[in-house]
Structure formats: structure tokens, C-alpha cells
Amino acid sequence: MPSAESSNSSPVHSDNETTQTAPEIADSAAEKATFSSIGVMKQLCEACDKLGFKAPTDIQRDAIPWALQGRDVIGLAQTGSGKTVAFALPILQALWDNPSPLFACVMAPTRELAYQISETFEALGSGIGARCAVIVGGMDLISQQIALSKRPHIVVCTPGRLQDHLENTKGFSLRTLKYLVMDEADRLLDMDFGPKIDQILRVIPRERNTFLFSATMTTKVAKLQRASLSNPVKVEVSTKYSTVDKLLQYYMFFPFKRKDCYLVWLLNEMAGQTAIVFARTCKEVLRIGLLLRNLGIEAIPLHGQLSMDKRLGALNKFKSGARSVLVATDVASRGLDIPAVDLVVNYDIPSFSKDYIHRVGRTARAGRSGRAISFATQYDVELLQRIEQVIGKKLDEFPSEKDAILLLQERVNEAQRIAMLELKEVQSKQKKGKKRGHGGGAGDDKQISLSEAKKIGRSGKKHRR
Ligand code: ADP
Ligand code: MG
């Protein structure tokens, strides 16, 4: 049973196994740990070096030795602290020692994150010949079947699509699996994904290693049991739910009807910086994107109702700097690693404090600094207070110039009016498209099954975020 209650800052054993040898890093040496000193083999040390990783981060230093010893690991560390490498290195090393196809499966809650994780595996593992396949919803099924038939070593997936393949792709199974990773584990173990995970776990060998990683972990033993860990080590390098020191967090308080005006003012003030603006619904994301564009701000929307090509396209444009503002739903709140993000704006305050931690964690990553500004209206006071309680910090008020902001109102009104017309046009096009059967492969992983898709010849319809 998982040791959900342990909360030390160094590796801790579950159950009664407190006497087991600790991994070979003495406290004094921990500061100077290198990838080699924590047991990473030469080829992988070289790969880290090529990527510019000079020394392991705290979570890597503390988790990798346990993982190399073959233990199940629950890894809890702040956003941007290098968790991906912490689980990728031990898996690649074990693969090198014992190469076999379909060796590891990494699950992530969003498609974009799955692609990003596979890039890390490829960057670290290509030198040792590791092959990776990405299996996510919204992408062509046949090419995924072909990719799986080539028996990759590592499958990075979203749960729904993996399950479809497990049920419907001839000859594909995970019977040889040695490692299972749940990245953003608390999200994967929650209500939305949980039942799917249960089904997947039924067909995966129980004799395997399991790694759970996140910046926010559930302490509910029942939920962790869902992951069927065996005698896990909990490695925790931050206190529960903390945000990084280099992140400056603010709020702005104003009446609800001024939201757009404040957003436009803020983005103008921050011109030249890269920002992600989070809003609650797909429709709102689309509307804000149109509004900003009407005012000459280069914004691109990302939400679960877009086709997968558009989702990846939007992310790439933002990553490459072709667009400086990404307007997104919570589909972009978990795991995405875009080094250039200077600012996160919570246009809508997230209803769950956990989402706040992940959203603001898109900036100030890997030791960089960043700012997060949350909009609070008369309706959001309680939510804001709850967030402050959870992160254990009071947010500062972001200095603003009310008069200058109100001067923008007229231009914003006009842009809002045009945006609403454009929004209607987009929506009526979408409706027509759907009627003709061009659904555009939507949202996240909760899609029609592979067998259904085969029947009707397309690959998606539902969305959540
Ligand atoms: P997390 O999953 O903890 O949010 P990521 O795994 O996405 O963080 O890593 C955040 C960033 O840190 C990535 O750009 C990654 O390349 C970088 N990184 C990872 N390990 C190291 C390291 N040892 N030294 C320097 N940068 C690192
Ligand atoms: Mg991550």
C-alpha cells in the first residue's frame, strides 16, 4: 500500500521498511551530485551533457537512485523542476541493461504533454537506440497502429487512446511492460481518467515498476491504490503545493465588466514579453483570441475543441515566437515546458486551487523568473483567498493605472463587438462542418472508440477542456 502520509524531503519508505539502506548520497555530497554520482550510466550522462544539463536537479538527485534500485517512486516536486528527466533516465538505463520492445508506458493527461515527454525520451535515448511512439487521441489511428506494430520500446500516451488500441489493435498488448509512468499523476488518478486507468491496469503486468510524478499529489490512499504501487518510495523535494521562489505572483482587482479592458492594458504594458492567458471555457478562449487580434495583439488560441493539427500548430507558433500570446483553457495548464514564457495571466481564476499551481507553473521554470497575474472581480474573492491559503502566500496587488485603463474602454468595446460577430461566424461554420461530418477531431482523450471511429470513418468529437 502506498505511503501516502510520508512527507519528508528525502526518500522515505512506505510501510515498515524504515531500516532499508538509503541511496548512496551523503548529505554533504548531495550538493555536488553529478549524474554519474547518482548512478546514471556513461552514455546517458553524455546525453544530459549534450542537452546542457550540468548537474541533476533536486528531484532527479533524490528520485533517480531509488528508481535505479528498482523501487516504485512517488515523486513530488515543483513545476519546472525536471521531473521528466527524473523518470526518463532510470527507464532508459534499465532498457539498456535489458532491451525489449514495449518496455515502458508513460501516461499523460494531455496530448501536447505526451508529445513533449516523448521528445525528452528521444533526446536522451536516441544515442542508445531507444525508440518511442506517441499514442494520443485526435491523431490518425492507422499510423498509430503501424507505429505500434514496429514494437517501440517506449509508448507515451493519453489513457483513452491507449485503451482503444489495447482493445482494438490486433497483436498489440502491454504484456511485456516493465515500467509504467503516470506523469501529472494526481490528474490521471482523478475522476475523469480514473476508470480508464483501472481498465488499463487490468491488462498490464502487476510485476512492473510504477512511477507517479506531479507537482501536486493526492494524499488519498484510495486514489493512489488505483495505481497499484508496490512498496513505493515517496520522494518529495518541496512542501506540498508550493510555487517556486522566482515566480512573482500578483492579483488585479476590478469590476467584472472591465476584464477585457484590463487584459488589453496589461498585455500592452507587457509588450515584447511572452504570455499565456488562461480562461475557463473554449468559447471564451476563442473570443479573447479574436478580441486581442482585433486590437493588434498577436494572440493564438489553444483549447480542446480544436483539431489536433490546430492544437499542435498553435503551440508551435507560440513556442517558436511567431505569436507572443497564447490564450488557452486548462488543456495547457499541466506539464507544458515552454522556456520563454514570461507571464501567466489568469483571466478567469481557476475554480480548483491545484489548477492555479499548474497554470502559474508554466512560467519561472528551471530556475528562470516569471510573473503570474490573476484577475479578481467581485465574484472571485473567495476563490482568490482559497488559492492564497493553499499556496501559503499572500498575493500582491499588481500596480495599475485605472485612468489609463479606462481610456481604452471605447476601443475595447468596438473590438469586442467585432469579436462577437467573428465568433458567431466561426461557430456557425463549426456547426455546418459537424453536420457534414468533419468534426475536426476534438478535445482530449475522451473520444469515440477506435471501433466506433472505424465504423463512421472519422476520429473524434467530444472535448472537455
Ligand atoms: P517538470 O515536469 O518538473 O515541470 P520538466 O521535466 O518539464 O519539469 O523540466 C523543466 C525544464 O528543465 C525542461 O526544459 C528541462 O529540459 C530542464 N531540465 C531538466 N533537467 C535539468 C537539469 N538537470 N539541468 C538543467 N535543466 C534541466
Ligand atoms: Mg512535468
Side-chain angles (χ1 to χ4, degrees), residues 83-84 87 113 116 183-184 335 365:
K83 294 187 285 294
T84 321
F87 60 74
L113 181 54
Q116 184 184 294
D183 192 24
E184 305 295 339
R365 299 177 67 73

Side-chain angles (χ1 to χ4, degrees), residues 340-402:
V341 179
D342 304 303
L343 173 70
V344 167
V345 181
N346 284 315
Y347 179 90
D348 293 317
I349 293 227
S351 322
F352 300 104
S353 310
K354 260 191 188 186
D355 287 339
Y356 175 87
I357 293 185
H358 291 282
R359 285 182 181 187
V360 301
R362 295 318 100 215
T363 183
R365 299 177 67 73
R368 291 179 198 85
S369 47
R371 278 195 282 198
I373 300 173
S374 298
F375 285 2
T377 70
Q378 64 271 36
Y379 307 116
D380 304 314
V381 179
E382 215 178 297
L383 285 177
L384 195 69
Q385 285 169 343
R386 211 182 304 155
I387 288 167
E388 287 182 331
Q389 219 173 6
V390 167
I391 62 171
K393 260 184 211 166
K394 282 258 170 242
L395 306 187
D396 293 324
E397 180 158 14
F398 190 76
S400 62
E401 301 147 36
K402 196 171 161 209

